[in-house]
Amino acid sequence: DASINPGKSGGPLVDSSGRLVGINTAIISPTGSNLGIGFAVPVNLARNVMTSIIDKGKVVRGYLGVGISEMQSENQKVQAIADASNFKGENGILVFQVQAGSPALNVLQLADVITELNGQKLKNLTEFRTKIAAMAPGTTVKLTVWRDEKYQQVDVTLGTQPEGQMAAITGKPDRQQPQQQQQMGTLGLSVATPTAADLTAAGLAGDVQGAIVKQVRPGSLAFLMGFKPGELITRIGSTKVTNADEAKAAFAKANLDNGLRMDLISKEGQRLVMVPKKADR
């Protein structure tokens, strides 16, 4: 019941024995008056930050390199991915993006559902993020994931959070060599089998395979879903694709009215896009 008044933010929150339990942060004040409800940062979290600053001169946190969400999301795109995972458990953390060059690359996959960290069941997204952040870079963690309709265990060695954000891909077209482009008219995309110049311009490794997005029609479904020139499509529905012809064939077999999963790779990493069902557009 310790009050937090102006000037006390950042001060200590102690229990009746004088032990520090938190750092005062803010109060609920919809009218400007104190309602007696305050918030504090847990002292163990504050201690980790303090120790890191003293030892290293900055805050260093464990880094996994994934985009994650609760299984129930207000974001329709993320919720569509969650539904496609067919996860039947109670609590899980959905992986909807894997960043390029991250510790999670080639270990975690799009639409994985993380259910345990080092053998401990996860309650929610906040708990998972907090535990990963509190670990030192170089720590190897064991994750239990739901993948391909079954539980699997994978080991990931945490890295260090990158200093800056990666730039977006501009996807400049290759003007040196004309390419035969395949049209996905209903979606509003044109794709081609990538040349070495395409992959270099997109910041991708020379050995990756797929169909590279060459054009996105403004106002199209692909435009609204955030597709960008320079992204590499590697999967359409349940079919992995290695070139433009395979992408066109897989797209032709799919029923877009029922929704469609598409996996993409870019300089920023891997991401999964769920084209919504026609009734949800």
mmCIF file of all heavy atoms in Angstrom, residues 62-67 97-108 156-164 166 202-205 208 264-271:
data_model
loop_
_atom_site.group_PDB
_atom_site.id
_atom_site.type_symbol
_atom_site.label_atom_id
_atom_site.label_comp_id
_atom_site.label_asym_id
_atom_site.label_seq_id
_atom_site.Cartn_x
_atom_site.Cartn_y
_atom_site.Cartn_z
ATOM 1 N N GLY A 62 19.985 -11.679 -23.689
ATOM 2 C CA GLY A 62 19.976 -12.818 -24.585
ATOM 3 C C GLY A 62 19.098 -12.536 -25.794
ATOM 4 O O GLY A 62 18.058 -11.894 -25.675
ATOM 5 N N TYR A 63 19.524 -13.020 -26.948
ATOM 6 C CA TYR A 63 18.843 -12.703 -28.215
ATOM 7 C C TYR A 63 18.570 -13.982 -28.978
ATOM 8 O O TYR A 63 19.474 -14.781 -29.228
ATOM 9 C CB TYR A 63 19.733 -11.761 -29.032
ATOM 10 C CG TYR A 63 19.297 -11.539 -30.455
ATOM 11 C CD1 TYR A 63 18.090 -10.903 -30.750
ATOM 12 C CD2 TYR A 63 20.112 -11.942 -31.515
ATOM 13 C CE1 TYR A 63 17.704 -10.684 -32.063
ATOM 14 C CE2 TYR A 63 19.729 -11.718 -32.834
ATOM 15 C CZ TYR A 63 18.533 -11.088 -33.102
ATOM 16 O OH TYR A 63 18.163 -10.867 -34.400
ATOM 17 N N LEU A 64 17.291 -14.190 -29.324
ATOM 18 C CA LEU A 64 16.877 -15.376 -30.067
ATOM 19 C C LEU A 64 16.683 -15.056 -31.549
ATOM 20 O O LEU A 64 17.075 -15.819 -32.414
ATOM 21 C CB LEU A 64 15.582 -15.926 -29.468
ATOM 22 C CG LEU A 64 15.113 -17.316 -29.908
ATOM 23 C CD1 LEU A 64 16.204 -18.361 -29.665
ATOM 24 C CD2 LEU A 64 13.841 -17.697 -29.144
ATOM 25 N N GLY A 65 16.065 -13.913 -31.846
ATOM 26 C CA GLY A 65 15.905 -13.485 -33.231
ATOM 27 C C GLY A 65 14.656 -13.990 -33.910
ATOM 28 O O GLY A 65 14.693 -14.421 -35.064
ATOM 29 N N VAL A 66 13.522 -13.930 -33.204
ATOM 30 C CA VAL A 66 12.260 -14.378 -33.788
ATOM 31 C C VAL A 66 11.175 -13.344 -33.551
ATOM 32 O O VAL A 66 11.227 -12.562 -32.602
ATOM 33 C CB VAL A 66 11.797 -15.734 -33.192
ATOM 34 C CG1 VAL A 66 12.685 -16.861 -33.631
ATOM 35 C CG2 VAL A 66 11.730 -15.659 -31.662
ATOM 36 N N GLY A 67 10.183 -13.352 -34.430
ATOM 37 C CA GLY A 67 8.956 -12.613 -34.184
ATOM 38 C C GLY A 67 7.967 -13.571 -33.557
ATOM 39 O O GLY A 67 7.697 -14.645 -34.118
ATOM 40 N N GLN A 97 8.003 -15.163 -37.471
ATOM 41 C CA GLN A 97 9.112 -14.589 -38.228
ATOM 42 C C GLN A 97 10.424 -15.081 -37.647
ATOM 43 O O GLN A 97 10.561 -15.225 -36.425
ATOM 44 C CB GLN A 97 9.065 -13.057 -38.182
ATOM 45 C CG GLN A 97 10.119 -12.370 -39.039
ATOM 46 C CD GLN A 97 9.988 -10.855 -38.968
ATOM 47 O OE1 GLN A 97 9.570 -10.307 -37.959
ATOM 48 N NE2 GLN A 97 10.347 -10.175 -40.037
ATOM 49 N N VAL A 98 11.405 -15.376 -38.515
ATOM 50 C CA VAL A 98 12.752 -15.747 -38.093
ATOM 51 C C VAL A 98 13.719 -14.790 -38.785
ATOM 52 O O VAL A 98 13.748 -14.718 -40.018
ATOM 53 C CB VAL A 98 13.096 -17.202 -38.459
ATOM 54 C CG1 VAL A 98 14.502 -17.548 -37.975
ATOM 55 C CG2 VAL A 98 12.086 -18.163 -37.850
ATOM 56 N N GLN A 99 14.504 -14.055 -38.019
ATOM 57 C CA GLN A 99 15.347 -13.014 -38.582
ATOM 58 C C GLN A 99 16.627 -13.585 -39.180
ATOM 59 O O GLN A 99 17.186 -14.570 -38.681
ATOM 60 C CB GLN A 99 15.675 -11.970 -37.509
ATOM 61 C CG GLN A 99 14.456 -11.238 -36.996
ATOM 62 C CD GLN A 99 14.766 -10.270 -35.873
ATOM 63 O OE1 GLN A 99 15.911 -10.127 -35.481
ATOM 64 N NE2 GLN A 99 13.744 -9.614 -35.354
ATOM 65 N N ALA A 100 17.076 -12.938 -40.237
ATOM 66 C CA ALA A 100 18.299 -13.356 -40.918
ATOM 67 C C ALA A 100 19.497 -13.230 -39.988
ATOM 68 O O ALA A 100 19.623 -12.256 -39.238
ATOM 69 C CB ALA A 100 18.524 -12.504 -42.168
ATOM 70 N N GLY A 101 20.377 -14.230 -40.019
ATOM 71 C CA GLY A 101 21.604 -14.181 -39.224
ATOM 72 C C GLY A 101 21.399 -14.338 -37.738
ATOM 73 O O GLY A 101 22.324 -14.147 -36.952
ATOM 74 N N SER A 102 20.193 -14.691 -37.313
ATOM 75 C CA SER A 102 19.894 -14.822 -35.886
ATOM 76 C C SER A 102 20.208 -16.221 -35.387
ATOM 77 O O SER A 102 20.339 -17.164 -36.170
ATOM 78 C CB SER A 102 18.413 -14.506 -35.632
ATOM 79 O OG SER A 102 17.594 -15.528 -36.189
ATOM 80 N N PRO A 103 20.317 -16.400 -34.064
ATOM 81 C CA PRO A 103 20.542 -17.745 -33.516
ATOM 82 C C PRO A 103 19.424 -18.726 -33.877
ATOM 83 O O PRO A 103 19.654 -19.933 -33.969
ATOM 84 C CB PRO A 103 20.590 -17.499 -32.003
ATOM 85 C CG PRO A 103 21.020 -16.078 -31.862
ATOM 86 C CD PRO A 103 20.378 -15.365 -33.015
ATOM 87 N N ALA A 104 18.219 -18.206 -34.083
ATOM 88 C CA ALA A 104 17.075 -19.081 -34.364
ATOM 89 C C ALA A 104 17.058 -19.590 -35.798
ATOM 90 O O ALA A 104 16.368 -20.567 -36.099
ATOM 91 C CB ALA A 104 15.766 -18.347 -34.074
ATOM 92 N N LEU A 105 17.806 -18.931 -36.693
ATOM 93 C CA LEU A 105 17.795 -19.325 -38.100
ATOM 94 C C LEU A 105 18.267 -20.763 -38.253
ATOM 95 O O LEU A 105 19.255 -21.177 -37.653
ATOM 96 C CB LEU A 105 18.696 -18.382 -38.900
ATOM 97 C CG LEU A 105 18.666 -18.544 -40.419
ATOM 98 C CD1 LEU A 105 17.292 -18.163 -40.963
ATOM 99 C CD2 LEU A 105 19.746 -17.692 -41.076
ATOM 100 N N ASN A 106 17.546 -21.534 -39.040
ATOM 101 C CA ASN A 106 17.836 -22.950 -39.301
ATOM 102 C C ASN A 106 17.581 -23.851 -38.089
ATOM 103 O O ASN A 106 17.860 -25.054 -38.144
ATOM 104 C CB ASN A 106 19.279 -23.156 -39.773
ATOM 105 C CG ASN A 106 19.585 -22.409 -41.062
ATOM 106 O OD1 ASN A 106 18.742 -22.320 -41.937
ATOM 107 N ND2 ASN A 106 20.784 -21.848 -41.159
ATOM 108 N N VAL A 107 17.061 -23.289 -36.999
ATOM 109 C CA VAL A 107 16.694 -24.092 -35.830
ATOM 110 C C VAL A 107 15.181 -24.030 -35.615
ATOM 111 O O VAL A 107 14.510 -25.059 -35.538
ATOM 112 C CB VAL A 107 17.426 -23.616 -34.559
ATOM 113 C CG1 VAL A 107 17.022 -24.472 -33.359
ATOM 114 C CG2 VAL A 107 18.935 -23.664 -34.760
ATOM 115 N N LEU A 108 14.651 -22.822 -35.528
ATOM 116 C CA LEU A 108 13.207 -22.646 -35.435
ATOM 117 C C LEU A 108 12.630 -22.403 -36.821
ATOM 118 O O LEU A 108 13.322 -21.895 -37.704
ATOM 119 C CB LEU A 108 12.870 -21.479 -34.501
ATOM 120 C CG LEU A 108 13.184 -21.711 -33.024
ATOM 121 C CD1 LEU A 108 12.927 -20.455 -32.213
ATOM 122 C CD2 LEU A 108 12.373 -22.876 -32.471
ATOM 123 N N VAL A 156 19.008 -24.087 -28.932
ATOM 124 C CA VAL A 156 19.396 -22.819 -29.537
ATOM 125 C C VAL A 156 20.394 -22.121 -28.622
ATOM 126 O O VAL A 156 20.157 -22.015 -27.412
ATOM 127 C CB VAL A 156 18.184 -21.887 -29.756
ATOM 128 C CG1 VAL A 156 18.607 -20.646 -30.530
ATOM 129 C CG2 VAL A 156 17.065 -22.601 -30.472
ATOM 130 N N THR A 157 21.502 -21.656 -29.184
ATOM 131 C CA THR A 157 22.479 -20.879 -28.423
ATOM 132 C C THR A 157 22.194 -19.398 -28.642
ATOM 133 O O THR A 157 22.246 -18.908 -29.776
ATOM 134 C CB THR A 157 23.917 -21.211 -28.871
ATOM 135 O OG1 THR A 157 24.163 -22.602 -28.658
ATOM 136 C CG2 THR A 157 24.923 -20.398 -28.068
ATOM 137 N N LEU A 158 21.884 -18.696 -27.570
ATOM 138 C CA LEU A 158 21.492 -17.288 -27.657
ATOM 139 C C LEU A 158 22.652 -16.421 -28.120
ATOM 140 O O LEU A 158 23.814 -16.687 -27.813
ATOM 141 C CB LEU A 158 20.983 -16.791 -26.303
ATOM 142 C CG LEU A 158 19.794 -17.551 -25.698
ATOM 143 C CD1 LEU A 158 19.411 -16.930 -24.357
ATOM 144 C CD2 LEU A 158 18.606 -17.531 -26.645
ATOM 145 N N GLY A 159 22.310 -15.369 -28.858
ATOM 146 C CA GLY A 159 23.304 -14.406 -29.306
ATOM 147 C C GLY A 159 23.134 -13.083 -28.590
ATOM 148 O O GLY A 159 22.487 -12.996 -27.545
ATOM 149 N N THR A 160 23.709 -12.036 -29.166
ATOM 150 C CA THR A 160 23.622 -10.682 -28.618
ATOM 151 C C THR A 160 22.725 -9.843 -29.516
ATOM 152 O O THR A 160 22.834 -9.906 -30.740
ATOM 153 C CB THR A 160 25.010 -10.028 -28.543
ATOM 154 O OG1 THR A 160 25.862 -10.849 -27.743
ATOM 155 C CG2 THR A 160 24.925 -8.638 -27.923
ATOM 156 N N GLN A 161 21.850 -9.073 -28.899
ATOM 157 C CA GLN A 161 20.934 -8.233 -29.661
ATOM 158 C C GLN A 161 21.703 -7.304 -30.587
ATOM 159 O O GLN A 161 22.603 -6.585 -30.165
ATOM 160 C CB GLN A 161 20.085 -7.385 -28.693
ATOM 161 C CG GLN A 161 19.096 -6.470 -29.374
ATOM 162 C CD GLN A 161 17.893 -7.226 -29.895
ATOM 163 O OE1 GLN A 161 17.441 -8.175 -29.287
ATOM 164 N NE2 GLN A 161 17.375 -6.797 -31.029
ATOM 165 N N PRO A 162 21.382 -7.292 -31.902
ATOM 166 C CA PRO A 162 22.069 -6.398 -32.833
ATOM 167 C C PRO A 162 21.858 -4.935 -32.448
ATOM 168 O O PRO A 162 20.826 -4.567 -31.885
ATOM 169 C CB PRO A 162 21.407 -6.716 -34.178
ATOM 170 C CG PRO A 162 20.825 -8.069 -34.007
ATOM 171 C CD PRO A 162 20.417 -8.164 -32.566
ATOM 172 N N GLU A 163 22.836 -4.104 -32.786
ATOM 173 C CA GLU A 163 22.782 -2.690 -32.418
ATOM 174 C C GLU A 163 21.710 -1.943 -33.205
ATOM 175 O O GLU A 163 21.026 -1.092 -32.682
ATOM 176 C CB GLU A 163 24.145 -2.028 -32.656
ATOM 177 C CG GLU A 163 25.228 -2.548 -31.730
ATOM 178 C CD GLU A 163 25.034 -2.113 -30.286
ATOM 179 O OE1 GLU A 163 24.282 -1.142 -30.059
ATOM 180 O OE2 GLU A 163 25.604 -2.757 -29.391
ATOM 181 N N GLY A 164 21.597 -2.211 -34.499
ATOM 182 C CA GLY A 164 20.675 -1.455 -35.337
ATOM 183 C C GLY A 164 19.672 -2.329 -36.034
ATOM 184 O O GLY A 164 19.707 -3.551 -35.950
ATOM 185 N N MET A 166 17.837 -3.721 -39.508
ATOM 186 C CA MET A 166 18.204 -3.966 -40.893
ATOM 187 C C MET A 166 17.342 -3.114 -41.821
ATOM 188 O O MET A 166 16.174 -2.882 -41.580
ATOM 189 C CB MET A 166 18.013 -5.451 -41.234
ATOM 190 C CG MET A 166 18.914 -6.366 -40.423
ATOM 191 S SD MET A 166 18.677 -8.087 -40.875
ATOM 192 C CE MET A 166 19.862 -8.871 -39.787
ATOM 193 N N ALA A 202 19.137 -8.404 -53.544
ATOM 194 C CA ALA A 202 18.216 -8.611 -52.426
ATOM 195 C C ALA A 202 18.929 -8.928 -51.121
ATOM 196 O O ALA A 202 18.295 -9.043 -50.075
ATOM 197 C CB ALA A 202 17.236 -9.739 -52.763
ATOM 198 N N GLY A 203 20.266 -9.075 -51.181
ATOM 199 C CA GLY A 203 21.018 -9.383 -49.966
ATOM 200 C C GLY A 203 20.866 -10.813 -49.521
ATOM 201 O O GLY A 203 20.990 -11.109 -48.330
ATOM 202 N N LEU A 204 20.607 -11.728 -50.467
ATOM 203 C CA LEU A 204 20.386 -13.134 -50.134
ATOM 204 C C LEU A 204 21.581 -13.983 -50.562
ATOM 205 O O LEU A 204 22.323 -13.620 -51.481
ATOM 206 C CB LEU A 204 19.124 -13.649 -50.822
ATOM 207 C CG LEU A 204 17.807 -12.986 -50.415
ATOM 208 C CD1 LEU A 204 16.676 -13.457 -51.313
ATOM 209 C CD2 LEU A 204 17.492 -13.283 -48.962
ATOM 210 N N ALA A 205 21.755 -15.108 -49.892
ATOM 211 C CA ALA A 205 22.834 -16.028 -50.234
ATOM 212 C C ALA A 205 22.608 -16.597 -51.635
ATOM 213 O O ALA A 205 21.471 -16.784 -52.075
ATOM 214 C CB ALA A 205 22.908 -17.156 -49.215
ATOM 215 N N VAL A 208 20.277 -19.973 -52.201
ATOM 216 C CA VAL A 208 18.866 -20.111 -51.839
ATOM 217 C C VAL A 208 18.038 -20.269 -53.104
ATOM 218 O O VAL A 208 18.388 -19.751 -54.172
ATOM 219 C CB VAL A 208 18.357 -18.912 -51.016
ATOM 220 C CG1 VAL A 208 19.060 -18.840 -49.686
ATOM 221 C CG2 VAL A 208 18.525 -17.617 -51.785
ATOM 222 N N LEU A 264 8.258 -16.778 -47.141
ATOM 223 C CA LEU A 264 9.135 -15.872 -47.870
ATOM 224 C C LEU A 264 10.454 -15.695 -47.138
ATOM 225 O O LEU A 264 10.519 -15.791 -45.902
ATOM 226 C CB LEU A 264 8.483 -14.493 -48.055
ATOM 227 C CG LEU A 264 7.195 -14.455 -48.867
ATOM 228 C CD1 LEU A 264 5.989 -14.478 -47.938
ATOM 229 C CD2 LEU A 264 7.141 -13.212 -49.732
ATOM 230 N N ILE A 265 11.521 -15.411 -47.909
ATOM 231 C CA ILE A 265 12.829 -15.090 -47.363
ATOM 232 C C ILE A 265 13.260 -13.741 -47.928
ATOM 233 O O ILE A 265 13.084 -13.472 -49.120
ATOM 234 C CB ILE A 265 13.886 -16.163 -47.732
ATOM 235 C CG1 ILE A 265 13.512 -17.525 -47.153
ATOM 236 C CG2 ILE A 265 15.264 -15.761 -47.234
ATOM 237 C CD1 ILE A 265 14.484 -18.633 -47.546
ATOM 238 N N SER A 266 13.816 -12.908 -47.065
ATOM 239 C CA SER A 266 14.372 -11.642 -47.511
ATOM 240 C C SER A 266 15.628 -11.355 -46.694
ATOM 241 O O SER A 266 16.027 -12.159 -45.836
ATOM 242 C CB SER A 266 13.360 -10.503 -47.315
ATOM 243 O OG SER A 266 13.206 -10.207 -45.932
ATOM 244 N N LYS A 267 16.239 -10.233 -46.938
ATOM 245 C CA LYS A 267 17.414 -9.827 -46.178
ATOM 246 C C LYS A 267 17.096 -9.720 -44.696
ATOM 247 O O LYS A 267 17.958 -9.907 -43.834
ATOM 248 C CB LYS A 267 17.937 -8.490 -46.706
ATOM 249 C CG LYS A 267 19.205 -7.985 -46.037
ATOM 250 C CD LYS A 267 19.620 -6.666 -46.641
ATOM 251 C CE LYS A 267 20.873 -6.115 -45.949
ATOM 252 N NZ LYS A 267 21.286 -4.815 -46.528
ATOM 253 N N GLU A 268 15.848 -9.425 -44.387
ATOM 254 C CA GLU A 268 15.416 -9.260 -43.002
ATOM 255 C C GLU A 268 15.125 -10.586 -42.319
ATOM 256 O O GLU A 268 14.902 -10.621 -41.113
ATOM 257 C CB GLU A 268 14.178 -8.359 -42.955
ATOM 258 C CG GLU A 268 14.458 -6.951 -43.461
ATOM 259 C CD GLU A 268 13.190 -6.127 -43.587
ATOM 260 O OE1 GLU A 268 12.103 -6.725 -43.726
ATOM 261 O OE2 GLU A 268 13.289 -4.897 -43.548
ATOM 262 N N GLY A 269 15.121 -11.680 -43.073
ATOM 263 C CA GLY A 269 14.872 -12.992 -42.480
ATOM 264 C C GLY A 269 13.720 -13.718 -43.152
ATOM 265 O O GLY A 269 13.330 -13.399 -44.277
ATOM 266 N N GLN A 270 13.194 -14.703 -42.456
ATOM 267 C CA GLN A 270 12.081 -15.488 -42.969
ATOM 268 C C GLN A 270 10.777 -14.971 -42.380
ATOM 269 O O GLN A 270 10.736 -14.531 -41.239
ATOM 270 C CB GLN A 270 12.240 -16.957 -42.585
ATOM 271 C CG GLN A 270 13.535 -17.589 -43.050
ATOM 272 C CD GLN A 270 13.679 -19.004 -42.537
ATOM 273 O OE1 GLN A 270 12.696 -19.689 -42.277
ATOM 274 N NE2 GLN A 270 14.911 -19.449 -42.362
ATOM 275 N N ARG A 271 9.728 -15.027 -43.160
ATOM 276 C CA ARG A 271 8.414 -14.692 -42.621
ATOM 277 C C ARG A 271 7.363 -15.548 -43.303
ATOM 278 O O ARG A 271 7.556 -16.030 -44.423
ATOM 279 C CB ARG A 271 8.093 -13.202 -42.745
ATOM 280 C CG ARG A 271 7.811 -12.688 -44.147
ATOM 281 C CD ARG A 271 7.635 -11.186 -44.125
ATOM 282 N NE ARG A 271 7.269 -10.645 -45.432
ATOM 283 C CZ ARG A 271 6.055 -10.257 -45.779
ATOM 284 N NH1 ARG A 271 5.057 -10.369 -44.906
ATOM 285 N NH2 ARG A 271 5.805 -9.763 -46.981
#
